[in-house]
Amino acid sequence: MAQAPVSPAAPAPAPQAQARPNFLVIVADDIGWSDLGAFGGEIRTPNLDALANAGVRFTGFHTAPTCSPTRSELLSGVDNHEAGLGSMAELLDEHQRGHDGYEGVLNTRVASIAELLKAGGYHTLMAGKWHLGLTEATSPAARGFEQSYALLQGLSNHFGKDQTEAWGKAGERSTWREGLKEVHYPEGKYVDDQFGDRLIDFLGQSAKAGDTRPFFAYLTFTGPHWPMQAPPEDIARYKGRYDAGYDVLRAERLARQKVLGLVPQDAIAHAHELAKPWDQLTPEEKALESRKMEVYAAMVDRLDQNVGRVVAELKRTGRYDNTVIIFLGDNGPEGNTINGPKGGSFNASLKIDNSLGNIGKANSYVGYGPGWAEANATPSRLVKSYPTEGGIRTTAFATGFGVKGGRISGANLSVTDIAPTLLQLAGVTQPASFNGHPILPHEGHSWSALLAGTAQTVRSPEEPLGYELFYRRGLRKGDWKLVYLPAIKPEGAAYLKAGVGDNQWRLYNLARDPGETTDLAASEPAKLKELLADWDVYAKQKGVIPLAQK
């Protein structure tokens, strides 16, 4: 007999607290696929490495190409075009506005995993970046989180010095909410430390109160998203480490990935498309680039330290052994050139100083650039905002209660799988309606058997998975991957770079070519035709708005 669906008014009967696992979902912002030591990186990440190596590392986990679309898919279990983030709210084109699926917020066609777990008897907690709505009605507290401390926008100064700067535009301020209340950020405190502290506070409060309900905790760091800023003691740890450049780093990481068994022994990294070769830079340019990567590494290092503090709190309160932990990056590494806030002269009080000696401090404002981003996505092609593997294949692993550890899984996984996975592990069935209206059924697949080690895959090789953002298109089906990058840069789509797209469909076999280095469109016309038909079905079903022709 099917389990009765849950609703806010009449939650499904909950088993005893210890019969159901706790959940901790951790999201890193713009982290590279190869950054963690467990994925081939050289950055100091002992806490994440220990968790990853004790669990199952995923080499085929995919997200949307950028942050808010991914977060909508994670929480809803459906495609971003259905959940409200067909494009990022900040980058909607005029002809996209007003269409279903392009609301720029997590819409009410879906119920968030927090809403469903709360209705099913879970204590729901959140600390970190939200990026799914700026109003009280679209805040975490309104979408199922009993306790929340959130940055509502997609970025902020990492030391809280931008109370008048959110997306980098004049007149927009970062918005912080604790529950429904708007609060002031404690200026000077490093933001990922603050997020770690607040989640630890929430966990400690529930333990002290004797709350025996299982919990769902959602910890969403803003590191290592630009601007590149980190505590000085962490930056100092990496002084000189990256002086050899991003070409050398890419080769080093690929070699370690092969030793770890994360990529085939004959895997070839895709060539740089967005950055100059390192040996063509001037000495001054090399010094600046090296400094940026030192700060980036420090940001990843600091994130790892905060994960360690949260894990220590779970162990202190006796809840670690009953917790399933899932870690993921929200998209590929950021490859845009960032050099100061958008809008130029606004917020002059920050006195932006991007000189070599100041990069990393609270009044600096840079990204680490395309060279390091492409290296950190090794061996994949391109970076964040693209539906190529460099934009959508991200670091991910699961560990903890019920997870058969010490494994690497190459299964084709999607961020939409997380919501149905947690529901199944919690013993909660997704209802057909929520809050008095129908909701979309989950499209992802539960990993429960994969985590337990009783299955190797979660989806058939015949199931297509489509991707679209900023008019860039992709589709995965088994080992095959279809990619289309437009040459046109539409107004408003700031992430599109001139010269990268060519208006051609490209076809790759990822099993043989994870770096997407060899286009098989001409030699495999039948497969190209098959996947193009799958793309057309996906676009129609999800309401993807095509590029307006001028």
Side-chain angles (χ1 to χ4, degrees), residues 38-58:
F39 283 79
E42 73 298 325
I43 300 172
R44 189 184 73 157
T45 54
N47 297 295
L48 287 166
D49 292 345
L51 293 172
N53 290 325
V56 54
R57 284 170 285 169
F58 303 129

Side-chain angles (χ1 to χ4, degrees), residues 27-44:
V27 182
D29 202 347
D30 290 0
I31 199 167
W33 191 72
S34 64
D35 282 337
L36 304 187
F39 283 79
E42 73 298 325
I43 300 172
R44 189 184 73 157

Side-chain angles (χ1 to χ4, degrees), residues 29 197 243 404-405:
D29 202 347
D197 282 351
D243 288 354
K404 182 181 178 182

Side-chain angles (χ1 to χ4, degrees), residues 44 66 79 179 353 356 358 388 438 467 471 485 505:
R44 189 184 73 157
T66 64
D79 188 270
D353 177 1
L356 177 62
N358 200 65
T388 54
Y467 305 90
Y471 309 105
L485 303 181
W505 284 102

Side-chain angles (χ1 to χ4, degrees), residues 242-250 272 275-287 289-290 371-372:
Y242 300 103
D243 288 354
Y246 37 71
D247 295 326
V248 169
L249 182 67
R250 180 175 59 177
H272 284 297
K276 290 181 181 179
W278 184 260
D279 60 10
Q280 292 183 15
L281 301 183
T282 67
E284 294 76 17
E285 288 172 331
K286 289 179 179 179
E289 290 294 318
S290 297
W372 299 115

